[in-house]
Amino acid sequence: MLPMDPLSSLLSGIRAEGSVVSHAVLTVPWAVRFADDALLTMISVMRGGGVLALPDGTERTMGAGHTAVVRGPGPFHLVDHPATLHGSHVAYEISCFSESAGCGAQELGGIRWGAESEEATVLIVGAYRASGHRHERLLRALPAVLVVEEDAEVCAWLETAAADAARLSAGSQAMMDRLLDWALVCTLRTWFDKAGADAPSWYRGLADPVLAPALKSFHDRPAEPWTVAALAARAGVSRALFAKRFTHLMGCPPLSYVTECRMDEAEALLSDTDLGIAQIARSVGYADAFGFSAAFKRHRGRSPSTYRAAGGRPALGHAFSGPSDGGSTGSFPGRRSG
């Protein structure tokens, strides 16, 4: 079994549902509304383009080869021009979750979808749901919208693969959804790679030649009794050097990171499983339920049983974001319109 790195773990419960390929001949002025209120929505522009307009006023220019990931929930638009929403325009809607819409594009004014002409705007859209709570730490590390620019060959391959999947009958929707699951991982990894200091610490650490072996060992076997010396041994450096480098790059001491990761995992297990407190304690590296319960209450503001009874909601004043999840607020390398 491959080790479970942090990004894979946080994405484990996120899945595309009702992904769609839309060819549209758009009449200016136009606005496409994305109405799913999805946890995440990914839009890849194969041909054409426009401006993403979010309810908070955020705008991002989208052209051919651009892929955007929008953090939800809440509807948003792709428009031909930022001023379009404030005037008369032709309305489109894309809904991946809507059963009545057949998980696709809806005609809201005589608009032609499915057009194959050269002037058609081609969008590949994936809307994502999540099971459990494990994904919440990933969402805290993402801006409201991020934009990456794909290589032309990648875009051509993605459009061809999506079109082939859409044309098939048996299993076509499942194939499209899995294709968009793969594309989401690639897009997020590309953005994190280019975000530099804005990437979350758990991602930056995996790119560091000294910290990576220790982090991979910890995330592969989090229940082991890890010490700074044991982590440093995995890194192949002295304890002092490891602790200094770790704190500088990750924004917290090594054992603080270990504890917060264990608390995050404990939250997910308390919220998403029926495991007993003692079982959860052992799975996150505590010898007994008493020690685990004391640590959980100290870091999360209430006991594990109270946290579970409250439906996985943190105590007031204890909204933890984990160890340096990143403070990214913009997109890379998207361009702001205006």
Side-chain angles (χ1 to χ4, degrees), residues 13-316:
I14 297 177
R15 292 290 181 269
E17 184 173 320
S19 309
V20 62
V21 182
S22 293
H23 295 68
V25 178
L26 308 175
T27 302
V28 175
W30 56 264
V32 180
R33 183 175 184 265
F34 297 84
D36 286 310
D37 292 340
L39 175 80
L40 291 172
T41 304
M42 187 171 67
I43 304 133
S44 293
V45 180
M46 302 293 102
R47 282 180 272 157
V51 178
L52 275 176
L54 275 59
D56 65 359
T58 299
E59 296 171 355
R60 293 290 185 271
T61 299
M62 294 282 289
H66 286 166
T67 293
V69 176
V70 180
R71 191 186 66 211
F76 60 96
H77 293 81
L78 180 68
V79 298
D80 67 308
H81 188 276
T84 292
L85 289 176
H86 306 295
S88 177
H89 61 270
V90 185
Y92 301 65
E93 185 169 291
I94 290 180
S95 177
C96 294
F97 295 163
S98 172
E99 294 180 4
S100 61
C103 293
Q106 303 179 40
E107 296 185 8
L108 300 184
I111 311 306
R112 289 184 293 149
W113 290 99
E116 296 292 343
S117 61
E118 288 299 319
E119 69 270 20
T121 291
V122 181
L123 306 175
I124 299 178
V125 179
Y128 299 82
R129 297 187 194 271
S131 59
H133 295 72
R134 197 180 302 275
H135 66 279
E136 292 173 358
R137 187 177 172 202
L138 173 64
L139 296 188
R140 292 196 296 265
L142 299 179
V145 57
L146 60 89
V147 179
V148 299
E149 187 168 1
E150 304 289 357
D151 182 86
E153 292 184 2
V154 173
C155 291
W157 176 86
L158 182 59
E159 182 178 2
T160 300
D164 287 345
R167 278 194 292 267
L168 298 174
S169 52
S172 60
Q173 189 61 64
M175 186 181 296
M176 273 293 300
D177 289 344
R178 297 297 78 77
L179 177 65
L180 268 293
D181 287 341
W182 170 84
L184 177 65
V185 176
C186 293
T187 299
L188 292 179
R189 191 163 58 185
T190 297
W191 187 79
F192 283 144
D193 284 342
K194 296 180 178 180
D198 286 334
S201 61
W202 44 263
Y203 194 88
R204 296 196 308 270
L206 289 172
D208 183 79
V210 173
L211 302 189
L215 286 170
K216 289 176 181 176
S217 295
F218 164 65
H219 285 288
D220 189 26
R221 299 182 300 279
E224 288 193 10
W226 291 104
T227 63
V228 177
L231 291 169
R234 292 289 181 179
V237 297
S238 70
R239 182 181 182 278
L241 177 59
F242 178 81
K244 182 178 180 180
R245 189 180 184 94
F246 192 102
T247 303
H248 173 72
L249 185 63
M250 305 289 282
C252 64
L255 294 188
S256 294
Y257 178 87
V258 167
T259 299
E260 284 300 318
C261 287
R262 286 172 169 168
M263 294 298 105
D264 284 340
E265 179 64 15
E267 283 185 336
L269 294 174
L270 287 166
S271 301
D272 305 336
T273 75
D274 294 323
L275 292 175
I277 302 300
Q279 290 174 288
I280 294 175
R282 289 191 295 271
S283 70
V284 298
Y286 288 84
D288 55 61
F290 179 78
F292 164 66
S293 296
F296 190 90
K297 186 172 184 178
R298 184 166 61 252
H299 288 273
R300 293 299 187 257
R302 60 179 63 181
S303 68
S305 56
T306 304
Y307 179 89
R308 172 174 274 173
R313 294 186 299 272
L316 292 176

